[in-house]
Structures are given as C-alpha cells and as structure tokens.
Amino acid sequence: MEKPKVLFVSQEIYPYTRMTQMAKLGRYLPQGIQEQGNEIRTFMPRYGIINERRNQLHEVIRLSGINLIINDSDHPLVIKVASIQAARMQIYFIDNEEFFYKKNMFADNGGKFYPDNDEKCIFFARGVLETVKKLAWAPDIIHCSGWFTSLLPFYVRKFYQDSPVFANAKIITALYNEKSAGSFPASFGDKLLFDNFEEKDVRKYGKFSHEDLMQAAIDYSDGLIYADEEVADQAWLKAKVKASKKPVLNYPGETGYVEKVNAYYAKFLKSGK
C-alpha cells in the first residue's frame, strides 16, 4: 500500500527561527508524522535571519530557475535545502534575493510591517506549489501553519485547480494565537486579479487584514486544527471557525499530539471528504 503523502508548509521551523509553539510543531510534527508511516515534504521561507553556512543550506539547481510573475514583474525562484539529520528529514526553503534578504521576518526593528509582504506572501505560496509540481509529488494532505501560508489554500483551489498534482489534496490549516500580521496595501487585490482570480473571489476579503487572510485560509481549507492552547482566547477566530462548519481538531495537548493529528488526517483520507 502506498504511503500517504503529507506536505507541510510552515511559517516557522526551529532551529531556523526562534522557538515558539509554531516553530516547535514545524520541527517535530513532520518528524512524528513521518515516523507514523507517512511520506513527507516540508517547506518554509528562507528568511534573511537564517544563517545559511551554519545551517548548511545549499541550492537545489534542478528545482530552481523558474521565474514567477507577480504584478507583471519577474521574480526568480530559488530553492534551497537543509537536512535535520536527527529527524532524517529535509527542509525546503523558498528563496529570492529581493524578497528574503531582510534581517527580520515581517517587520523592521521598529515593528513596521514590510511593504512588500503582500508580494512575498504570493511568491511563497506559488513557489511552494510550483516546486511540488516540479517534484511530481502529489500530496494527500497539505498542512499549513501560520498567517504567511494563508494564501496557499486559495491558490490550490483557484489557481492550481486544474493541476493533477493537487487534484486529490485535502488542505488542513493549523490555527495559532498569532499577533495581527498587519494589512496588505490597497493594491493587493489587483495583484491577485493579475493572476486571473475572479473579482468576486478577491473583493470579499476587503483589505486583506490579518483577519481577512485567516478567513481566506479557512474558506479554502477542508479541515482546521487548533494548534495551541491560547488560540481558544481569540473570539473572532473561533467565530470564523464555527461559521465555517469545517471539521475541527481541538488542541490535542502535548501528550499524543502526533498520533491525534495523524488520526485526524486519516478521517479525510478514508472518507474522501
């Protein structure tokens, strides 16, 4: 029997970013899911804070070289990889020297949201999906973590809807107690329209604030996971989840986390829902 394939797309993974609940799960959940008998691939952004030499990143030439057009501008896609030997897994990094050279992740030292975060978010989502296509690796489950992955479900369902690589994928979004990511510029909707999204699918998300981005992720996901205890404190997010009527896995707790998430995946694989 073929192993289920799980694609992890994470905003944070330890030790490449500081230890948070999201970064810890980004590091240990894929390992655990792999040890449960699944095949995995794991992607994250190559932030400027990541020391490539210390973490032994190297470019994967056969996967790099694609140009992604965003808002009528070409942006070269560079794929790098590093190995976590103890976990026997590789991490793929989406890189571009224009987007990912900054020494912080999403805001400057003064806390000001970077003005190109919107295009960077598009680039990351498309970069992951283009690379998975190039790998010819069709995931059964796509597990997204963090607001920076919020456009990925949207792109899978609306931009790559005719791709056989993603035809049978079930999308799971993990929800965290994240601070507001800020709002994208007013021109962001037009940048999505440039990718041939329909106006009705874009304009309903208003200014693409943090809450709007999470709404889009929820709308185009098949299932949702409360990935930390504190997320339950966010009334606005709980209301969106309840209104969606999507299957929800409540925070599983530290003990048996991997097994409970794996069992949650299995429900989608067995039912085909």
Side-chain angles (χ1 to χ4, degrees):
M1 182 178 177
E2 190 173 333
K3 291 181 179 181
K5 296 181 175 70
V6 184
L7 170 63
F8 289 94
V9 187
S10 300
Q11 178 176 304
E12 302 173 18
I13 299 176
Y14 181 80
Y16 309 107
T17 58
R18 66 184 181 87
M19 179 66 89
T20 62
Q21 173 72 355
M22 188 187 301
K24 181 172 74 171
L25 289 177
R27 161 63 180 85
Y28 292 105
L29 182 59
Q31 177 183 351
I33 292 299
Q34 180 172 252
E35 291 170 353
Q36 291 282 308
N38 303 281
E39 189 177 331
I40 67 163
R41 296 286 187 276
T42 304
F43 284 79
M44 72 172 291
R46 204 289 298 165
Y47 303 112
I49 58 172
I50 298 172
N51 186 306
E52 295 195 18
R53 180 175 295 180
R54 184 171 64 242
N55 290 291
Q56 299 183 348
L57 273 66
H58 62 271
E59 185 176 350
V60 185
I61 302 298
R62 68 184 179 88
L63 296 176
S64 299
I66 299 172
N67 271 16
L68 300 181
I69 301 175
I70 299 172
N71 198 33
D72 208 22
S73 295
D74 281 11
H75 301 277
L77 173 62
V78 177
I79 307 299
K80 294 175 180 173
V81 70
S83 296
I84 299 179
Q85 298 294 345
R88 292 186 298 173
M89 70 181 195
Q90 290 185 317
I91 310 295
Y92 291 90
F93 295 84
I94 299 297
D95 196 8
N96 172 273
E97 64 180 14
E98 179 183 352
F99 288 137
F100 294 109
Y101 72 92
K102 301 178 183 72
K103 292 302 180 183
N104 294 315
M105 289 165 61
F106 306 119
D108 63 21
N109 290 335
K112 186 177 180 182
F113 198 57
Y114 287 134
D116 66 350
N117 279 340
D118 61 335
E119 294 190 5
K120 191 178 345 183
C121 196
I122 293 173
F123 183 86
F124 179 64
R126 289 190 56 195
V128 170
L129 298 173
E130 287 292 341
T131 305
V132 172
K133 281 178 62 181
K134 205 163 186 178
L135 287 167
W137 189 82
D140 299 297
I141 298 287
I142 301 174
H143 184 123
C144 299
S145 296
W147 74 264
F148 196 59
T149 72
S150 61
L151 289 181
L152 196 132
F154 194 27
Y155 268 85
V156 170
R157 299 301 185 219
K158 293 293 183 177
F159 191 87
Y160 294 92
Q161 73 270 28
D162 296 325
S163 172
V165 172
F166 305 111
N168 298 314
K170 306 301 178 187
I171 303 173
I172 309 297
T173 289
L175 304 170
Y176 293 83
N177 184 25
E178 295 186 84
K179 293 181 180 179
S180 172
S183 294
F184 286 164
S187 60
F188 180 66
D190 293 329
K191 294 172 185 178
L192 292 178
L193 295 175
F194 184 84
D195 277 346
N196 293 320
F197 286 103
E198 292 186 35
E199 188 141 358
K200 64 181 179 64
D201 293 327
V202 172
R203 300 305 183 195
K204 64 181 178 181
Y205 296 113
K207 297 180 179 179
F208 280 89
S209 65
H210 180 78
E211 293 188 17
D212 294 330
L213 288 167
M214 297 317 300
Q215 182 68 68
I218 290 167
D219 287 348
Y220 291 99
S221 293
D222 298 288
L224 306 164
I225 297 175
Y226 285 128
D228 63 35
E229 290 182 283
E230 290 77 17
V231 73
D233 298 334
Q234 299 193 57
W236 66 269
L237 186 57
K238 288 180 69 178
K240 290 180 183 297
V241 170
K242 185 177 180 180
S244 76
K245 299 182 180 179
K246 302 286 176 74
V248 179
L249 176 64
N250 289 317
Y251 177 62
E254 293 287 334
T255 304
Y257 192 102
V258 169
E259 291 78 9
K260 290 170 185 173
V261 171
N262 195 47
Y264 183 67
Y265 293 163
K267 292 179 182 179
F268 291 92
L269 300 177
K270 289 176 182 177
S271 67
K273 292 182 180 179

